[in-house]
């Protein structure tokens, strides 16, 4: 009798698990499909002519796919040049942002010095400053020091505004690193720079991958800094170059869609390559011990 009473609740729990897990997968699959709908719509949009964009339903296939929209975007509107500008500006900004944030996180979490808390507080204050409130002061600053219409003005702005969030993510990863590893390295005669680059950085690779993805997405899609500080056409990035297809009297919507698809693909590719490390980096430091 007691066995029957004990088994029945367990069987009910087992049935809940059997029903609940498939239902959860169905719900998550539906949500994933909803997230993909804008990308599918953009793909169809990029293959349509101006007439089809306005006359056909949004998710309808084009009557005749206009692949020439991609060729037009790459050649006629100088998108190839904008693409290369986006690549190197994003790469340089991400590299220096992650490297400087790693230096700062290591100094704040692994070293003892008097202004530790003050420096950390200043970094966190940076997260509360609205980007748009700094445009005029930054524009005046770059004009005075000769960096107006120079890609370095964009790179420096990206580094400054991405450092706080990058540092905040890396702090959790650095706080849980075992100090025994550093002590053993010091006992073997390892210097601090060598220990940082050969031991600490590889141990925080998951968190670094996460910060790289976050920085890449922001820098790649950023518009306001490039549009404000850069005026030369050969220095613009993809997000600003899209405006080339918007004319006073006509707009080439298919070419705009092709440009947007070209701008999305690199980020999607990098995201899939580093996806295995992203969740590891986001949860780094969540559990101690």
């Amino acid at each position: 009798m007691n066995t029957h009473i004990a088994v029945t609740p367990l069987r009910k729990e087992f049935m809940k698990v059997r029903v609940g897990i498939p239902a959860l997968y169905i719900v998550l699959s539906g949500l994933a499909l909803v997230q993909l709908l804008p990308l599918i719509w953009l793909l169809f949009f990029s293959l349509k002519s101006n007439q089809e964009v306005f006359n056909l339903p949004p998710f309808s296939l084009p009557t005749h796919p206009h692949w020439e929209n991609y060729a037009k975007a790459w050649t006629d509107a100088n998108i190839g040049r904008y693409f290369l500008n986006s690549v190197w500006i994003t790469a340089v900004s991400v590299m220096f942002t992650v490297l400087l944030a790693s230096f700062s996180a290591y100094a704040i979490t692994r070293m003892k010095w008097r202004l530790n808390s003050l420096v950390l507080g200043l970094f966190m204050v940076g997260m509360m400053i609205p980007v748009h409130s700094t445009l005029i002061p930054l524009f005046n600053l770059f004009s005075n020091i000769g960096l107006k219409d120079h890609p370095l003005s964009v790179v420096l702005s990206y580094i400054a505004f991405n450092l706080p969030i990058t540092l905040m993510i890396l702090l959790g990863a650095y706080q849980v690193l075992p100090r025994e590893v550093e002590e053993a390295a010091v006992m073997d005669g390892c210097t601090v720079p060598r220990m940082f680059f050969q031991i600490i950085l590889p141990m925080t690779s998951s968190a670094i991958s996460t910060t790289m993805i976050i920085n890449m997405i922001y820098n790649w899609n950023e518009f306001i800094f490039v549009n404000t500080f850069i005026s030369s056409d050969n220095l613009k990035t993809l997000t600003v170059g899209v405006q080339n297809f918007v004319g006073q009297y006509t707009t080439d919507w298919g070419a705009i869609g092709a440009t947007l698809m070209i701008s999305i693909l690199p980020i999607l590719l990098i995201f899939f390559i580093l996806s295995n490390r992203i969740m590891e980096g986001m949860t780094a430091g969540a559990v101690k011990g």
Side-chain angles (χ1 to χ4, degrees), residues 3-125:
T3 303
H4 176 72
I5 294 174
V7 170
T8 300
L10 291 176
R11 184 177 297 176
K12 290 182 179 179
E13 292 296 326
F14 179 72
M15 292 299 296
K16 288 181 181 179
V17 172
R18 289 190 61 183
V19 174
I21 292 180
L24 178 62
Y25 278 116
I26 292 173
V27 172
L28 293 178
S29 299
L31 292 175
L33 181 60
V34 171
Q35 296 294 322
L36 287 175
L37 286 178
L39 189 60
I40 297 172
W41 171 83
L42 183 59
L43 176 62
F44 294 164
F45 183 90
S46 67
L47 297 175
K48 294 178 180 179
S49 63
N50 280 1
Q51 292 75 18
E52 291 175 331
V53 166
F54 293 103
N55 295 333
L56 295 178
F59 287 96
S60 64
L61 290 171
T63 307
H64 299 288
H66 292 267
W67 295 104
E68 62 271 15
N69 287 338
Y70 287 87
K72 185 187 300 183
W74 191 263
T75 56
D76 295 354
N78 205 22
I79 294 301
R81 179 64 181 177
Y82 302 151
F83 183 87
L84 293 177
N85 288 339
S86 293
V87 168
W88 80 261
I89 288 177
T90 298
V92 171
S93 302
V94 169
M95 180 182 67
F96 279 100
T97 302
V98 173
L99 190 60
L100 291 175
S102 298
F103 288 157
S104 304
Y106 182 76
I108 290 172
T109 59
R110 317 303 287 185
M111 298 179 179
K112 294 182 179 180
W113 43 294
R114 184 176 300 176
L115 300 179
N116 189 318
S117 300
L118 176 62
V119 171
L120 178 59
L122 290 176
F123 273 111
M124 295 302 103
V125 168

Side-chain angles (χ1 to χ4, degrees), residues 121-169:
L122 290 176
F123 273 111
M124 295 302 103
V125 168
M127 297 181 63
M128 295 181 271
I129 300 176
V131 174
H132 299 85
S133 67
T134 65
L135 288 177
I136 295 177
L138 285 176
F139 184 84
N140 292 332
L141 172 65
F142 292 140
S143 298
N144 293 333
I145 63 178
L147 290 181
K148 179 185 175 183
D149 196 25
H150 194 285
L152 189 57
S153 61
V154 178
V155 172
L156 292 176
S157 301
Y158 289 171
I159 294 173
F161 280 95
N162 287 333
L163 261 178
I165 184 63
T166 305
L167 176 64
M168 187 178 69
I169 295 174

Side-chain angles (χ1 to χ4, degrees), residues 122-259:
L122 290 176
F123 273 111
M124 295 302 103
V125 168
M127 297 181 63
M128 295 181 271
I129 300 176
V131 174
H132 299 85
S133 67
T134 65
L135 288 177
I136 295 177
L138 285 176
F139 184 84
N140 292 332
L141 172 65
F142 292 140
S143 298
N144 293 333
I145 63 178
L147 290 181
K148 179 185 175 183
D149 196 25
H150 194 285
L152 189 57
S153 61
V154 178
V155 172
L156 292 176
S157 301
Y158 289 171
I159 294 173
F161 280 95
N162 287 333
L163 261 178
I165 184 63
T166 305
L167 176 64
M168 187 178 69
I169 295 174
L170 291 178
L171 284 176
Y174 276 82
Q175 285 174 346
V176 298
L177 291 178
R179 293 190 177 272
E180 291 77 9
V181 175
E182 296 171 80
E183 294 171 357
V186 172
M187 293 295 292
D188 289 338
C190 184
T191 62
V192 173
R194 182 181 176 186
M195 178 170 57
F196 177 79
F197 285 104
Q198 295 187 2
I199 299 176
I200 301 300
L201 277 185
M203 293 176 65
T204 58
S205 59
S206 297
I208 288 176
S209 299
T210 302
T211 58
M212 287 177 62
I213 284 290
I214 294 174
N215 279 270
M216 285 177 187
I217 293 174
Y218 175 82
N219 295 345
W220 188 269
N221 296 323
E222 201 279 325
F223 174 84
I224 190 68
F225 283 139
V226 180
N227 195 50
T228 303
F229 302 145
I230 301 297
S231 56
S232 299
D233 187 69
N234 63 331
L235 296 177
K236 293 179 180 179
T237 58
L238 270 175
T239 52
V240 179
V242 174
Q243 298 178 96
N244 285 0
F245 293 107
V246 180
Q248 182 176 2
Y249 302 105
T250 60
T251 299
D252 195 337
W253 295 106
I256 289 178
T259 303

